[in-house]
Amino acid sequence: MKSRWLSAAFLAVALALGACGDTEETMEPVQVSDPGIRESQEGDVKSLIIDCDEEGRCPTGYYCDAQWLCRRGGASASGTVSASPTDVWINTNATSIGSTQICWQVYQATVGEVWVSVDGQPELLFTQAQSGCEFAWWIQVGHHYDFRLYANTTHSQLLSTVTVTGYGYQGLR
């Protein structure tokens, strides 16, 4: 009876150790400009930490997270773009243009591109970075501006859109 119990216990321990493998975690070698690779150790587990490069890029198969660390996986990119204000009121007695501030942020992507379409015309690149704010100082009365945020530089994964409209009024100069 004891020998069967001991045999079962040894078998269970052997299976558990075989399933876990080595306690040292390894990553495949990767090439990154100025990689910033360092070693982290918690308890008896060692792993490599890869920093995003100065432009927020990571090796293929990795993405740059909010802490500028390269993470493995195909995490789905997300992001937001906003305008302040979305309704731009322009005193036509004083000027013919107004402005709005466009702000954007992307997650699980190395860069975001904001493109603009005026009155449904083809898009033009407005700005690009992982996050930021820029002024669109050329808003005109009677026009609609669609600002579209895309993940990375492929102009294929639309993340968010905001529409800005120029309105005119006659006021004091």
Side-chain angles (χ1 to χ4, degrees), residues 138-150:
W138 30 258
I139 305 300
Q140 295 180 330
V141 173
H143 294 280
H144 302 283
Y145 303 83
D146 293 316
F147 291 88
R148 299 179 182 126
L149 175 64
Y150 291 88

Side-chain angles (χ1 to χ4, degrees):
M1 180 77 167
K2 272 188 181 178
S3 65
R4 261 196 275 172
W5 181 82
L6 281 175
S7 296
F10 283 121
L11 179 60
V13 169
L15 289 173
L17 288 176
C20 291
D22 193 359
T23 59
E24 185 170 330
E25 185 178 297
T26 59
M27 299 177 107
E28 60 191 57
V30 291
Q31 293 289 327
V32 177
S33 61
D34 190 24
I37 298 174
R38 60 188 190 275
E39 193 173 284
S40 171
Q41 186 169 350
E42 285 186 29
D44 60 350
V45 177
K46 292 181 184 176
S47 64
L48 296 178
I49 297 174
I50 303 172
D51 294 321
C52 306
D53 72 8
E54 62 278 354
E55 295 178 21
R57 294 182 304 215
C58 292
T60 302
Y62 294 79
Y63 66 91
C64 188
D65 71 8
Q67 287 79 38
W68 286 78
L69 296 174
C70 294
R71 301 285 184 192
R72 181 186 279 289
S76 181
S78 63
T80 60
V81 63
S82 63
S84 181
T86 55
D87 295 338
V88 178
W89 289 93
I90 301 161
N91 181 352
T92 57
N93 285 339
T95 185
S96 61
I97 60 171
S99 68
T100 186
Q101 186 178 40
I102 305 298
C103 296
W104 71 98
Q105 172 76 46
V106 294
Y107 307 95
Q108 318 307 340
T110 56
V111 69
E113 288 188 336
V114 180
W115 291 71
V116 62
S117 171
V118 181
D119 298 328
Q121 296 298 311
E123 295 176 324
L124 298 171
L125 181 62
F126 175 64
T127 189
Q128 68 179 42
Q130 191 169 32
S131 65
C133 292
E134 293 285 335
F135 279 96
W137 52 267
W138 30 258
I139 305 300
Q140 295 180 330
V141 173
H143 294 280
H144 302 283
Y145 303 83
D146 293 316
F147 291 88
R148 299 179 182 126
L149 175 64
Y150 291 88
N152 299 312
T153 59
T154 59
H155 196 223
S156 61
Q157 186 180 2
L158 180 63
L159 301 177
S160 183
T161 301
V162 65
T163 300
V164 174
T165 304
Y167 295 99
Y169 71 96
Q170 293 183 344
L172 300 175
R173 287 184 181 244

